[in-house]
Amino acid sequence: MTGQERSEEKSECVSLSPMREAVPAPPECERVCVCGTGDLGRSLGLRLLQAGYGVVFGSRRPHSSSSLIPHGAQVLGHAAAAQSAHLIFIAVQREHYDFLVPLANQLKGKVLVDLSNNLRKNQYPEANAEYLQSLVPGAEVVKGFNTLSAWSLQNGPSDANRQVYICGESVEAKQAVMAVATKLGFSALDRGFLSVARELEDFPLQLFPQWRLPLYIATGLSAAFFFYLLIRDIIYAYVTQGKDISFRIIVSLANKVLATGPRCVCFCVCYQLFKVGVWVCSRQVCPIVSLIMLSLCYLPGVLASFLQLYRGTKYRRFPDWLDRWMLCRKQLGLLALGFAFLHVLYTLIIPIRYYGRFKATEHTVSVIRENRTTEFDTTTAWRGDSYLSLGILGFSLYVLLGITSLPSVSNVLSWREFSFIQSKLGHLTLLLCTAHTYLYGWNKFLSSSTYKWYTPLGYMLCLVLPSVVLLLKLLLITPCVDRTITRIRQGWERRADQRNPKNSQPLIP
Amino acid sequence: MTGQERSEEKSECVSLSPMREAVPAPPECERVCVCGTGDLGRSLGLRLLQAGYGVVFGSRRPHSSSSLIPHGAQVLGHAAAAQSAHLIFIAVQREHYDFLVPLANQLKGKVLVDLSNNLRKNQYPEANAEYLQSLVPGAEVVKGFNTLSAWSLQNGPSDANRQVYICGESVEAKQAVMAVATKLGFSALDRGFLSVARELEDFPLQLFPQWRLPLYIATGLSAAFFFYLLIRDIIYAYVTQGKDISFRIIVSLANKVLATGPRCVCFCVCYQLFKVGVWVCSRQVCPIVSLIMLSLCYLPGVLASFLQLYRGTKYRRFPDWLDRWMLCRKQLGLLALGFAFLHVLYTLIIPIRYYGRFKATEHTVSVIRENRTTEFDTTTAWRGDSYLSLGILGFSLYVLLGITSLPSVSNVLSWREFSFIQSKLGHLTLLLCTAHTYLYGWNKFLSSSTYKWYTPLGYMLCLVLPSVVLLLKLLLITPCVDRTITRIRQGWERRADQRNPKNSQPLIP
Amino acid sequence: MTGQERSEEKSECVSLSPMREAVPAPPECERVCVCGTGDLGRSLGLRLLQAGYGVVFGSRRPHSSSSLIPHGAQVLGHAAAAQSAHLIFIAVQREHYDFLVPLANQLKGKVLVDLSNNLRKNQYPEANAEYLQSLVPGAEVVKGFNTLSAWSLQNGPSDANRQVYICGESVEAKQAVMAVATKLGFSALDRGFLSVARELEDFPLQLFPQWRLPLYIATGLSAAFFFYLLIRDIIYAYVTQGKDISFRIIVSLANKVLATGPRCVCFCVCYQLFKVGVWVCSRQVCPIVSLIMLSLCYLPGVLASFLQLYRGTKYRRFPDWLDRWMLCRKQLGLLALGFAFLHVLYTLIIPIRYYGRFKATEHTVSVIRENRTTEFDTTTAWRGDSYLSLGILGFSLYVLLGITSLPSVSNVLSWREFSFIQSKLGHLTLLLCTAHTYLYGWNKFLSSSTYKWYTPLGYMLCLVLPSVVLLLKLLLITPCVDRTITRIRQGWERRADQRNPKNSQPLIP
């Protein structure tokens, strides 16, 4: 807060000396005005009082609302309130801005902070702040604090959004607002001129914009593989052998038909198939999708490196699709982690399932009845143990990656540490998980019996992408390629003479 | 930091030029004084030196303590030290404040920062800072930095509390202290006038104030259900059938009696019952308490909506109990997550338990010996699979909720995203967990045999509350009700004319 | 930002009025210069533009690079660019600093911010910033922003490192740079004078410095116990009984020898032993190392207390090794948590393993064939259940400790809460885990058969350290000792007269 401002406060506090008794604030206090006694207005006022400001509320009905405002503040009519302070927070809905029009003259040169938000995007032709500026041309309008909820304002920034974005034309006005924000315990970030206001007003309305694409990918993949497995495992069994699962289906179908008539047969079929399918698939879909998305999370990085290698320079922008892809890598990775988590849980409860217990009993019974001798198969044992071990290690690294991508953790990491974990450990995780799946498949890849209807098993499909990524990465870390990449990353350019502005797009639009 | 202060430093640095050689700081440096060479004082001094301040320590015994202070600082007597700087940190126990009384004159107009803390609440009639102010009326006392430990001061704010609360009467003094805090890497929050000092001094002494209530609830619920299950499962078996568990109890009792005489029979009974009970209950108590607490975490929100609906306005304060309840929702949810975590672990190790393994073997053996044929029961299988699946999904969402309630994660969420996760996903979690429990119960609800002594099973009791919450929530999201709620939330009031200050309490006390 | 600076901007913006049209910034804008159009330079420029600064790029080839820079900025030659602003960011490699030498005169009194980093530590005799200062003696060089990557600069501080360290000789220059940093949304921390620059330049190159020691310890312990168990379990079985595991080894060896000739016998032996060993050990090594490291994490605290008790004062520095040990307690604890996590996963998948399933079947079959009656062993059951329960509770507390050590969580805890969790709950965790291991061992401690070759089992060895720590802690919390410790911590000193500077080293070097 600059000295000039403080002197100003003093002067105005002197001018207001008659009403100073009413306000429990020493003469040095800065006085601010809050127009509107809604939740937001009151919470803001309370916080301002706590931070040692003198607060004057402006209200349509000063008398009826005088009982609502926090203790220590005053309520006046809008006009009187606006007059009593240099900094005025507008905490009313955009619909009621018109009350400011008559005050346009006395608001000249004052700082109006527009806190308003809309209910949906593009509700109005122009941003609320710009509309406000057009109503009160003389005032210096600053957009800000609108990303905060009344709740977070009241309980302080500790466990709500701590960052406050502001924008406006006048630097002095923004400085003053930023000073207030800092005193309230928020860290204010100046986003530029009033034209940014629309963006700031859309921010509270946005719902995980950068999660959209990864979520679509995850849903698509899950659905695709669900039906692939459903058809492959269930329908196939239903059509060809028809003994094991379809038996029950037939039976229940018969009952259904007898009971309800043939009308709902197709429904029954679907229902039965679904019941049969859910468990089988839910257990196989999770790991498959998880592995694919993890490789999708490391593919763009590899592609980018090859693109730089091909272009021989880093000073040209990546194509948009690659840019967008690289910006949602974190989300892809976290979703993959979620699927891996589900996979682990689904795997761990296998022995608790009735099916598992039943199979175990059946096996033992058959051993006894057929009087077989139980022979310990070393290969199976070591194969199982090793793919379980690989899975466990992979998952643990996975969790580690997830933890380090928490904002608070990545904040305390230096850039080199962050990239070491996210790149080196990340590729190691991918390697472990891929090996885990390969070992799980073991020699099934060779036996033709696994290729029912010439379709590979689900986990064979999901191995394609990670294998490609790992191969490309392997190419990249071969000494000769690595050296070139490093030089390019340090700004070296191949055939710099051929580069001319025409064929090179700007890096940043 | 205002220009006027900086000029001040310069002037004083000039006045102190003879001793400038002693201090490795350029003439621009600001000189501060730290009274007291304890841990806190020394750590603060070291940090001040790192931030480029010139530091002068005040000590009772300058010579003996000159060896303790960080390199680059000076030690003088309290009087000389206090004279050499405008900003003075008081890092001594309140008991020794009296050394300041003789310095009252030369401290006039200087800024005294009171760092002291007490050993317990209400140790003294007034706050240390107020006591200090009374000792040195001329000085401008600022309370601050007391929430930091010497350790966090020394290692910087990165992985200790970053927020510094200060309070005091003079705005200039607070400005100066806030500037220092910012340079030390802390973010200072001005909490108002010196009357807040007591609150700041109590802060380091508080121990999870907002966790108390939820913890009490959790403990109470656990104890209640533990004994309910203990009585219901163990005593009942002991009294009525008396074959399965009590058999062992009788046996061991007999031994005990023979061994030690009847004196300790009752003890043995309790001990046996306890041994028997612990496992049974520990497995059932966790899920029950978890589900109840999760619904307790969403009940207040629903109640609040209905209250607003009934009152037809949001401009009236909720009753205190509801306010307090709503403020500890987060804690309730996290505790519930903890219990769910325990429940998952307890469930997953079932197959590892000797009891589980024994039962499995026994079952197989009986199958063989009685020559039964093993028949696969589809219904049981699908029921089991579906309630396990529901449980897994519910737990995963649960974990997601827990992660998003981490401060660093909720900080980067917009308000809408946060409420979407905590409200929509939260209710979905509740729904999944409730369905999980219903499916677990399945048809036991109907068979009378489950109601031993006319008492329902534990998980039936715990289903009441969540069902109620879900029903109420269902009511709230019906279009017509939802529309009204939304309008009320946007500030619309039914029969606004009837509202008068008398029957409406202020929202914020 | 002080008023004097702002006036400065104004004046310069006026002087630059002819080119103001080119820059979409109002006359109030502050103009800064960025030398170098690399990634870092461009990202910084973009961010400066967003924050409402006018940006002028300095480039070797203004025309070719004019297409690369963000929209709204200008590119000029280095000289012209440097002239147009008071604050100049040097975003070029140290190798190209020489272009500044001819500009030395017009740079006099300007603020040069050195963003450069090196590829490895001690690449050059002096820090880049000091080298820059030596090239341009008249300018005020400030080191800063070098800990940020171009990526984090472009995407803002939200999910990258938010803290910016700066250092330099002139306070005014640092003030100006800190103001810019704040407007860009970073929180700047003044680390002192230019001599700190080297440290700042090494920061981005550091790779988990405080994790080194704990990682070495973990690796050492794991290796040691791995081979201890390998020898003890495998070799021993191989040598003495030679029936169960070594049988398979012999067989496979024979095949190998026949197949490949005796050359690779030793390799085969190792390979077989390794295969056999991995699983056995991986399951035992994790818990052992985890428990030992957890106790290593609480040992130094106990030692420190005893040292203070012995010395009778807290005003003497701990020996270096203890200091270093205490500073890496957090890392020790987190690594221990990682091992515990692995241990839990390894335990939970036991029933899924082929080996586990095989053993179960074998057991049942033997029961049937030998017509044994299955008798439920109460003791085994309760013992198993209790050590599983203890393990579960211990692990849950462990996870709780891990969560509270997340920066964002520990930030919102008061000092007392933090120490309560980390100390009280920490020791409780240690107690639970130790009891868990003791119960697991049960009466094996007595039977001599467990001491093959007079060596104890792995988990017996790992019980020594935690037991010692717990005993010492028990001693410390006995009332009489506790009272003395508390008094010492509050600054009381035994025989204060004997203390003289000679035998007391300074607390902080």
Side-chain angles (χ1 to χ4, degrees), chain A residues 453-497:
Chain A
W453 288 342
Y454 311 106
T455 57
L457 286 164
Y459 59 81
M460 298 181 182
L461 284 182
C462 81
L463 275 171
V464 178
L465 207 48
S467 314
V468 171
V469 173
L470 288 172
L471 272 172
L472 293 178
K473 186 68 187 174
L474 199 66
L475 271 176
L476 282 177
I477 58 179
T478 47
C480 54
V481 184
D482 186 41
R483 207 176 312 109
T484 331
I485 283 282
T486 319
R487 280 166 63 208
I488 287 175
R489 293 250 168 87
Q490 289 166 25
W492 170 88
E493 314 188 19
R494 196 191 315 130
R495 41 184 183 36
D497 51 345

Side-chain angles (χ1 to χ4, degrees), chain A residues 434-471:
Chain A
T434 317
H436 166 70
T437 321
Y438 269 114
L439 266 173
Y440 175 74
W442 197 242
N443 52 14
K444 290 217 196 64
F445 294 99
L446 311 174
S447 70
S448 67
S449 70
T450 48
Y451 301 92
K452 313 172 188 169
W453 288 342
Y454 311 106
T455 57
L457 286 164
Y459 59 81
M460 298 181 182
L461 284 182
C462 81
L463 275 171
V464 178
L465 207 48
S467 314
V468 171
V469 173
L470 288 172
L471 272 172

Side-chain angles (χ1 to χ4, degrees), chain C residues 334-490:
Chain C
L334 289 177
L335 280 180
L337 177 56
F339 278 98
F341 183 69
L342 282 177
H343 167 50
V344 170
L345 283 180
Y346 270 116
T347 314
L348 289 177
I349 61 164
I350 291 176
I352 308 175
R353 294 178 55 208
Y354 172 78
Y355 183 78
R357 297 202 309 272
F358 176 79
K359 278 288 165 215
T361 318
E362 204 176 34
H363 171 67
T364 322
V365 171
S366 69
V367 166
I368 305 266
R369 297 231 166 105
E370 299 150 20
N371 216 333
R372 280 195 270 108
T373 61
T374 57
E375 182 51 71
F376 187 83
D377 177 358
T378 327
T379 328
T380 323
W382 297 133
R383 197 197 101 214
D385 288 354
S386 19
Y387 92 73
L388 287 172
S389 292
L390 283 174
I392 288 178
L393 293 177
F395 180 65
S396 315
L397 274 181
Y398 226 143
V399 173
L400 183 65
L401 290 179
I403 291 174
T404 46
S405 70
L406 283 174
S408 62
V409 178
S410 52
N411 281 357
V412 299
L413 294 178
S414 82
W415 177 242
R416 188 179 164 212
E417 291 164 338
F418 186 74
S419 63
F420 169 81
I421 287 184
Q422 293 299 336
S423 156
K424 293 225 178 20
L425 288 194
H427 285 98
L428 180 58
T429 314
L430 185 57
L431 180 63
L432 286 172
C433 297
T434 317
H436 166 69
T437 321
Y438 270 114
L439 267 172
Y440 175 74
W442 196 241
N443 52 15
K444 289 218 197 63
F445 295 99
L446 311 174
S447 69
S448 67
S449 68
T450 47
Y451 301 93
K452 313 172 187 169
W453 289 343
Y454 310 105
T455 58
L457 286 163
Y459 58 82
M460 298 182 182
L461 283 183
C462 81
L463 274 170
V464 178
L465 207 48
S467 314
V468 171
V469 174
L470 287 172
L471 272 174
L472 293 179
K473 185 68 187 174
L474 199 66
L475 271 177
L476 282 177
I477 59 179
T478 46
C480 55
V481 184
D482 186 40
R483 205 175 315 109
T484 331
I485 283 281
T486 319
R487 280 166 63 208
I488 288 177
R489 293 249 169 86
Q490 289 166 23

